[in-house]
Amino acid sequence: MSAGWNTIESDAGVFTFLIDNLGVKHVQFEELIALDAALLRQESPVYGVIFLFKYPTGEKPSDTPPDGNFDFDASENIFFAAQTIQNACGTQALLSVLLNKEDEVEIGPQLKDFKEFTGAFPSELRGEALSNSELIRDVHNSFARSSPFVDEAQRLASEEDDVYHFIAYTPINGVLYELDGLQPAPISHGSCSFEEFPDKVIPVLQRRIERYPANEIRFNLLAMVRDLRIRAQEIGDQDMLYQEEQKRNAWQWENALRRHNFIGFIGEVLKGVTASKLREGDGAYDKWVEEAKSKTKTRIEEKRKVGGNDIDEQVEA
């Protein structure tokens, strides 16, 4: 039985350095702020997109997908793995693109070996092999937020949780495929060349979003593209190259912060502040505590007036 997979964020910096640590070369992720084919086309070459959405937990399996058609024969010609474990869907989605782009992307020797090893497996066994890969799991978990309170390996989603899920869209062999490990097979959305992908995938995504209530806005879309630093070097754009290098540095800093929790640091700061108030004397400590209680009470009352609630914890499907 495999060890646990932790929740990771839908973040361009997380996904870029995750695949970099798996040995993939010259690929990065860019977040798309609008469903716009022209905007996506600007990032060309685009190898695929990763879509994050709130999973409809009450939805029942169907023999026919709401959009597109199941292609049960596709698994013999493309890489498609069933999702067999919770929280793995983010990495599984990006691998669904990468392992079908070996001719366009340098995926590295480790992922190449994994693809060759699982090549003859059915989708269920591919999913089991992925879930039990120590390399892939350890790299995935290295980008999870550190928490001293929740053991993500044991944490399962409950009915009260908002459950989120990652899926991939990519053109393979002249067909636009939706690759979702929770579905029984790849879903075909019709013919699509590599060049047509930005124009063909946006309507599919729009139709999917339209199936949700109008007030649902919790979606995220990441495009898998060629390293933008290469483009900057090819066209001699030094400003663009500098901006991309700065963006990478910022991503590295953010990823480093994700690996640490600051509970100990916060505790020491509180100890220092408390000691400082106690040294002031003349009831300064008691006054400080009472002021804090009063402010907290006021915030709670204001929150109740506007009907505010704590943000629900997000769990991957």
Side-chain angles (χ1 to χ4, degrees):
M1 178 157 179
S2 65
W5 290 63
N6 299 340
T7 302
I8 61 173
E9 297 176 60
S10 181
D11 179 86
V14 168
F15 278 25
T16 296
F17 281 94
L18 193 158
I19 62 174
D20 184 71
N21 288 359
L22 287 173
V24 180
K25 303 296 183 183
H26 312 311
V27 176
Q28 73 177 70
F29 284 86
E30 284 292 297
E31 184 172 2
L32 298 178
I33 59 174
L35 288 178
D36 187 311
L39 187 64
L40 181 58
R41 205 180 304 112
Q42 290 176 8
E43 306 293 344
S44 293
V46 181
Y47 305 116
V49 296
I50 310 299
F51 184 55
L52 174 70
F53 58 96
K54 184 178 177 182
Y55 191 76
T57 53
E59 190 173 276
K60 297 180 180 179
S62 172
D63 294 333
T64 305
D67 191 23
N69 300 286
F70 286 126
D71 188 346
F72 288 96
D73 296 326
S75 292
E76 297 180 5
N77 303 311
I78 70 176
F79 180 88
F80 175 74
Q83 185 181 327
T84 63
I85 191 168
Q86 184 173 305
N87 292 336
C89 59
T91 294
Q92 184 155 337
L94 64 87
L95 290 179
S96 293
V97 177
L98 283 172
L99 297 185
N100 285 299
K101 291 289 179 287
E102 195 173 355
D103 293 337
E104 294 93 5
V105 175
E106 186 179 341
I107 64 174
Q110 294 164 316
L111 289 183
K112 185 176 293 186
D113 289 345
F114 176 80
K115 182 179 179 181
E116 291 176 357
F117 173 70
T118 61
F121 290 1
S123 60
E124 292 78 10
L125 281 182
R126 284 178 185 164
E128 288 291 344
L130 193 159
S131 298
N132 285 284
S133 168
E134 290 188 14
L135 167 69
I136 297 173
R137 184 182 66 245
D138 289 348
V139 171
H140 169 104
N141 285 346
S142 71
F143 289 90
R145 282 193 178 277
S146 175
S147 171
F149 304 118
V150 179
D151 180 0
E152 291 285 359
Q154 305 298 325
R155 173 78 161 88
L156 297 176
S158 69
E159 293 181 359
E160 289 75 28
D161 287 323
D162 281 341
V163 180
Y164 291 82
H165 186 50
F166 293 89
I167 60 175
Y169 292 88
T170 185
I172 309 171
N173 301 329
V175 177
L176 172 55
Y177 280 110
E178 175 184 330
L179 302 175
D180 178 356
L182 296 182
Q183 297 294 340
I187 298 175
S188 168
H189 290 281
S191 63
C192 178
S193 67
F194 188 79
E195 293 74 21
E196 293 174 323
F197 177 67
D199 296 290
K200 292 288 185 74
V201 73
I202 295 299
V204 175
L205 291 166
Q206 288 172 333
R207 290 196 298 271
R208 186 178 193 106
I209 290 174
E210 287 169 0
R211 301 205 299 265
Y212 285 80
N215 62 348
E216 179 56 70
I217 59 173
R218 289 169 291 183
F219 303 101
N220 186 256
L221 186 64
L222 297 175
M224 183 186 293
V225 303
R226 187 176 63 153
D227 189 333
L228 294 177
R229 295 174 300 179
I230 297 176
R231 181 195 300 177
Q233 291 170 342
E234 289 176 345
I235 64 177
D237 190 334
Q238 294 302 314
D239 288 339
M240 179 183 177
L241 180 59
Y242 175 77
Q243 291 173 3
E244 290 301 317
E245 292 288 1
Q246 291 298 104
K247 183 165 64 179
R248 292 279 179 136
N249 292 336
W251 283 346
Q252 284 185 309
W253 171 248
E254 292 165 2
N255 289 335
L257 293 180
R258 286 184 177 93
R259 296 186 177 97
H260 301 281
N261 75 71
F262 296 91
I263 301 301
F265 171 74
I266 294 170
E268 291 302 315
V269 170
L270 289 175
K271 288 179 184 178
V273 173
T274 301
S276 174
K277 291 296 181 181
L278 288 172
R279 285 196 297 269
E280 290 181 15
D282 298 327
Y285 175 79
D286 292 333
K287 182 180 178 181
W288 175 57
V289 171
E290 290 304 318
E291 287 177 352
K293 287 181 179 179
S294 177
K295 289 179 180 179
T296 300
K297 184 178 179 180
T298 301
R299 291 194 190 100
I300 292 173
E301 290 175 350
E302 290 174 351
K303 197 172 185 180
R304 285 173 178 169
K305 289 179 182 178
V306 298
N309 294 302
D310 292 336
I311 298 174
D312 294 330
E313 183 178 3
Q314 298 180 5
V315 181
E316 286 182 36

